[in-house]
Amino acid sequence: MEKGFINYFGIHQSFKSHGSHRHCFESCRRALAVLVLATVSVLGSMAQTPLNEEEVYQRLVERQYTDGYMEGTPWDNSHIYINTVELFGYPASCFTGAGCFAFMLDEMEYASNYEYPIRKIEGSYDNLPKIHVGDGVRLYGNGHSVVVLEVAEDGHTVVVAEGNLNSSVHWGRTIDLADPSNDFTYLATFWPEEEEPESVEVTISECEYATFYYSNSAYVVPEGVEALIVESIDGAKLSLRPLDGIIPAECAVILKGAQGTYDFLPTEEEVDAVGDNLLRGFDDTHLTEGGDIYYKLTVMNGKVGFYWGEENGEAFESGPHKAYIALPFDQYNEVKFFTFDIDNATGIDNIETATREADGAVYNLSGQRVSDSYKGVVIINGKKVLRK
């Protein structure tokens, strides 16, 4: 009876199940049992560290100045590494690598905090998968391993670190994976699979306005809807600019359209990022940031507009995929809210100002006009007054 195992070169082989070879399978079974028990015990109490390319890069280059990993350090097939995370579907302690493969596996696990399983993505120089910092790459007909330190804008030229290059460690070689002579074989990655963005359903209420923010993709603006950014504050007016059919990823916008539900379709079409935009957003519920005074889209006294979300314009919790306005103090100009004229909305011209003229009118901290009998902190001629 023959069974398979993974040897220290990372190559699948066959052998008869006896002696020390069988011990490999017993060790794997024990390791798998330990792994299952450990996973069950810690799942509820420990979450994986979120992956960030800059932090992954910093962890990788730390090794460049660490004994045993510095430029020119001897490294050959006597260097053996045993996996501590799931690798290519094999549990911890069941996969060993030597030489360049050991260096790649060692660096990848270190860069990902020993927390993420490593999977294999088949590819070739004419069928390149998306490459991240920290990925491992097999080259030269599955004969050499490297770790990616940097990825060029073209998506296929990389700067790498590697072991067992002329029997030593080397940092900084540039390789074009799209060059057939490099014979790209497969990619090893700990980065989770990216989900394809789906269409987004947005409901615009009878007020005919809504807000929108998604970071995962650009989205096509459906027919009958206009997407606008807030470029600046002109005195007490919002200076708006409509976008040309596509909302870039990470761009918060105001949506204007008739009441109804609309489908926003993701697109891979390249579109320039929006620069000056006072609108901000998050993919989850989040405390507003990015300014000093904050406004949210709402309806108050029959008027739709941007009003303070909290007293004094302080930060408030903004909902997922919603946009808000963040103003620095030097643009605040004591404007408490901005409202839209729904009946005659025409983009930029539909903004009503909300500054407080010196007419003796009294307003509460939400910008609503109140009677003389109102008690508490009020605003009169732009100044706060405590009424008892």
Side-chain angles (χ1 to χ4, degrees), residues 20-35 82 91-95:
S20 62
H21 291 158
R22 184 176 180 84
H23 177 72
C24 177
F25 282 99
E26 294 300 328
S27 297
C28 284
R29 271 203 293 267
R30 287 195 295 272
L32 181 58
V34 171
L35 180 64
I82 301 175
S93 302
C94 287
F95 202 112

Side-chain angles (χ1 to χ4, degrees), residues 5-16:
F5 77 106
I6 302 299
N7 74 354
Y8 59 85
F9 290 104
I11 302 171
H12 189 272
Q13 294 186 341
S14 298
F15 66 98
K16 292 183 179 180

Side-chain angles (χ1 to χ4, degrees), residues 60-352:
L60 283 170
V61 297
E62 281 175 11
R63 287 288 185 90
Q64 189 174 358
Y65 308 101
T66 303
D67 286 344
Y69 299 91
M70 292 187 289
E71 177 74 23
T73 299
W75 193 290
D76 55 27
N77 283 335
S78 65
H79 285 78
I80 306 295
Y81 191 87
I82 301 175
N83 65 312
T84 61
V85 301
E86 180 183 304
L87 176 69
F88 303 161
Y90 292 87
S93 302
C94 287
F95 202 112
T96 57
C100 61
F101 193 92
F103 183 89
M104 179 187 79
L105 184 55
D106 184 354
E107 288 291 282
M108 290 182 68
E109 292 195 349
Y110 181 79
S112 61
N113 279 336
Y114 305 95
E115 294 178 11
Y116 286 83
I118 298 173
R119 57 193 172 89
K120 181 190 291 188
I121 301 176
E122 300 293 346
S124 65
Y125 67 87
D126 58 357
N127 181 30
L128 286 167
K130 184 174 181 179
I131 300 166
H132 294 85
V133 173
D135 283 345
V137 178
R138 287 288 283 181
L139 302 168
Y140 312 138
N142 204 22
H144 186 60
S145 303
V146 298
V147 179
V148 175
L149 300 175
E150 300 175 30
V151 184
E153 290 186 2
D154 61 19
H156 54 79
T157 302
V158 296
V159 177
V160 304
E162 53 203 316
N164 204 17
L165 181 67
N166 298 323
S167 301
S168 63
V169 174
H170 185 67
W171 295 82
R173 186 159 66 108
T174 299
I175 300 174
D176 184 359
L177 299 180
D179 182 344
S181 67
N182 290 319
D183 200 2
F184 169 73
T185 311
Y186 70 78
L187 189 75
T189 185
F190 51 74
W191 292 89
E193 292 186 73
E194 296 180 1
E195 295 182 2
E196 290 294 323
E198 299 178 349
S199 63
V200 172
E201 215 175 62
V202 178
T203 297
I204 298 179
S205 69
E206 61 183 4
C207 79
E208 300 187 346
Y209 286 91
T211 61
F212 182 99
Y213 173 87
Y214 279 81
S215 67
N216 64 333
S217 172
Y219 286 86
V220 177
V221 181
E223 186 175 351
V225 177
E226 190 174 20
L228 307 108
I229 64 169
V230 179
E231 286 192 307
S232 62
I233 301 296
D234 181 10
K237 293 185 179 180
L238 297 179
S239 178
L240 305 181
R241 176 168 67 85
L243 299 181
D244 189 20
I246 295 178
I247 304 170
E250 300 183 324
C251 177
V253 298
I254 301 167
L255 301 178
K256 179 185 176 300
Q259 180 179 4
T261 299
Y262 300 85
D263 283 331
F264 288 72
L265 301 177
T267 178
E268 294 184 0
E269 182 176 342
E270 291 190 8
V271 58
D272 292 336
V274 173
D276 296 329
N277 185 12
L278 295 174
L279 290 165
R280 302 283 185 271
F282 302 100
D283 290 315
D284 55 4
T285 299
H286 212 100
L287 193 67
T288 56
E289 59 184 44
D292 301 303
I293 305 295
Y294 301 98
Y295 306 76
K296 69 177 179 180
L297 184 71
T298 190
V299 178
M300 194 172 294
N301 296 329
K303 287 285 189 178
V304 62
F306 281 90
Y307 296 81
W308 284 350
E310 287 287 343
E311 288 188 1
N312 304 319
E314 293 176 356
F316 61 89
E317 280 200 346
S318 182
H321 309 300
K322 303 294 184 183
Y324 61 90
I325 291 177
L327 289 185
F329 278 128
D330 60 2
Q331 293 188 34
Y332 166 41
N333 199 29
E334 296 191 354
V335 177
K336 306 303 185 294
F337 60 85
F338 305 88
T339 60
F340 302 111
D341 180 355
I342 299 173
D343 295 330
N344 299 293
T346 56
I348 292 176
D349 295 332
N350 70 326
I351 304 301
E352 292 186 356

